[in-house]
């Protein structure tokens, strides 16, 4: 079993997700106490996919996150660099065009997508700034990006409780539901090391995105960032 380190070597991260692919969606549901379903609904609202629009869903994993966009009538491309995740996704959703790709070197032409979104995957990319620039490149002018990522709770007492949960409660729960519990130790550490909401917004602006804004979900446990390509 592979556990990635916080320097996020791509082969380590991909291998780690290969290991957890089969039970990944179940583990997320249990570890988030069911909140992941709420967060995904909010992502779908923020992306606001319309019929015939093209949506790129990065770090799509098993493509569970892509389903709301297909239901809206959009053409969605689920993309991930874990072949294990993509294999599970293809078995479950054979009609979707699942695509292997690295977020820092996307296999798409310029100005293709009406919307690009990534949920709980950006912090696993080795070069965040390169990924944000690539998302900008493949988005058409007037298009949008929506990022859903774990963030920093805004209420100090809750932030302390949350940090305790991440580092103490999450690993034992992961042992019960995941095929690779060590992966979830890395995931907890990567959440703690991730930039806060204003810092990520500034990275988006530096990558070229305009009208950048964010809103907190579950008290800042998760934040939705959105930007537009002029």
């Amino acid at each position: 079993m592979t556990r990635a380190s916080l320097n996020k070597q791509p082969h380590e991260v991909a291998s780690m997700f290969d290991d957890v692919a089969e039970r990944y969606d179940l583990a997320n549901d249990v570890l988030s106490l069911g909140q992941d379903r709420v967060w995904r609904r909010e992502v779908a609202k923020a992306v606001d996919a319309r019929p015939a629009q093209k949506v790129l869903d990065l770090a799509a994993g098993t493509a569970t996150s892509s389903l709301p966009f297909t239901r809206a009538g959009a053409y969605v491309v689920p993309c991930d660099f874990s072949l294990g995740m993509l294999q599970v996704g293809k078995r479950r959703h054979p009609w979707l065009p699942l695509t292997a790709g690295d977020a820092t070197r996307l296999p798409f032409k310029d100005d293709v997508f009406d919307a690009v979104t990534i949920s709980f995957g950006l912090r696993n990319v080795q070069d965040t700034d390169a990924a944000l620039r690539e998302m900008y490149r493949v988005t058409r002018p007037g298009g949008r990006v929506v990022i859903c990522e774990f963030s920093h709770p805004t209420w100090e007492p809750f932030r302390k409780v949350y940090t305790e949960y991440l580092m103490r409660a999450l690993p034992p729960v992961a042992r019960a539901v995941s095929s690779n519990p060590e992966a979830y130790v890395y995931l907890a550490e990567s959440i703690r090391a991730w930039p806060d909401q204003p810092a990520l917004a500034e990275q988006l602006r530096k990558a070229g995105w305009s009208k950048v804004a964010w809103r907190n979900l579950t008290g800042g446990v998760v934040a939705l960032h959105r930007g537009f390509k002029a």
Side-chain angles (χ1 to χ4, degrees), residues 172-228:
V173 174
R175 277 193 289 274
V177 297
S178 172
S179 54
N180 182 6
E182 276 296 299
Y184 287 87
V185 178
Y186 155 78
L187 292 172
E189 291 172 348
S190 69
I191 291 169
R192 288 207 308 177
W194 186 244
D196 65 12
Q197 293 89 323
L200 180 56
E202 183 58 27
Q203 285 182 274
L204 276 159
R205 292 187 193 99
K206 287 181 178 177
W209 298 97
S210 61
K211 300 179 184 176
V212 174
W214 76 87
R215 66 186 180 92
N216 294 313
L217 304 176
T218 318
V221 168
V222 165
L224 277 183
H225 282 71
R226 185 165 66 176
F228 293 86

Side-chain angles (χ1 to χ4, degrees), residues 8 21 33 36 60 84 87 93 103 120 131 151 157 188 202 210 220 225 227 230:
K8 302 172 188 175
L33 308 177
D36 62 315
Q87 287 166 357
H93 316 294
F120 309 112
S151 198
E202 183 58 27
S210 61
H225 282 71

Side-chain angles (χ1 to χ4, degrees), residues 88-153:
V88 173
K90 195 65 177 176
R91 193 170 69 243
R92 294 177 184 173
H93 316 294
W95 64 91
L96 288 174
L98 285 96
T99 303
D102 182 339
T104 63
R105 295 186 301 275
L106 292 172
F108 307 107
K109 294 180 180 179
D110 298 355
D111 305 332
V112 171
F113 295 97
D114 297 283
V116 177
T117 184
I118 182 168
S119 293
F120 309 112
L122 188 58
R123 76 180 193 287
N124 299 318
V125 176
Q126 188 176 39
D127 189 338
T128 304
D129 293 327
L132 293 174
R133 289 192 299 269
E134 274 292 270
M135 292 179 210
Y136 186 87
R137 179 184 66 79
V138 302
T139 301
R140 68 163 181 80
R144 58 218 180 267
V145 66
V146 174
I147 297 168
C148 181
E149 188 54 86
F150 289 109
S151 198
H152 294 243

Side-chain angles (χ1 to χ4, degrees), residues 3-25:
R3 175 190 165 189
S5 59
L6 287 181
N7 65 9
K8 302 172 188 175
Q9 293 297 319
H11 68 281
E12 289 181 356
V13 177
S15 181
M16 182 185 74
F17 279 104
D18 289 347
D19 288 342
V20 301
E22 199 65 50
R23 304 183 74 186
Y24 182 71
D25 292 324

